Amino acid sequence: MLSPNDMDPLKWEVLWSQGDQIKVFNADNREGKVYTLNDESIGFATGSFSGPAISGSGPFYAVYPASAATTLGTDGSISLTVPDTQVYGGPYDYIGVGANISAGYANTESLTGVAFKNLFGVLSLNVTNANNVSQVVLYTKGMADVLNGSFTLTGLQDNAPVVLPVAGQATEPHQKLTLTCGEYGGDSRVFNLAVPEGVLDAGMTIELYDNANGVQVVN
């Protein structure tokens, strides 16, 4: 979850949420092992996780959420699957569970701790009349812009992680993200979408749908 900093509105904390899971890789476990957040870590920036024993030594690679990571390559790259739909986290969590993809690296003999880095940016939409908003949809306009699908994570070993889309996905299904909003409404609401880092040179379109399938379009 995201938590605003009362002392500095430009700084936000990233905190662990109930049920969060990470996947950990090393040379002996290229398919990864899944670990689940312990309840005492809910709402804190540092978390402890429980899961199966992992064979072999480091270096270790870790990805949040566990569902986003698939395999560790021999070159240290990690294959990621970025979903096309995110779930609104509610008016207090600020971002949906599993939306903020992040990863870490530890070149240690045993798995004692990993420092995570945020891999995506957050597009924040302040909607002043959010009554009955059921969906927020982001479309990119550039032919090379990809928001969901297959990505490759590299550079964790050098402390400079980069997430790049796999070639051949610059088609309409991969150029949109949908935020489902459930029953939340209100006169004013902040909707956050986690998006791959980059510049949308050709612009974007935002569509706000209400419960009656009416739509407001903003370019």
Side-chain angles (χ1 to χ4, degrees), residues 34-95:
V34 175
Y35 297 82
T36 302
L37 184 74
N38 296 325
D39 286 347
E40 63 267 22
S41 297
I42 295 171
F44 290 91
T46 299
S48 63
F49 292 77
S50 297
I54 188 167
S55 59
S57 61
F60 296 95
Y61 303 76
V63 174
Y64 170 80
S67 58
T70 53
T71 57
L72 171 69
T74 56
D75 60 352
S77 64
I78 298 175
S79 298
L80 301 178
T81 300
V82 178
D84 60 2
T85 301
Q86 299 173 17
V87 178
Y88 179 54
Y92 304 108
D93 291 344
Y94 293 96
I95 195 166

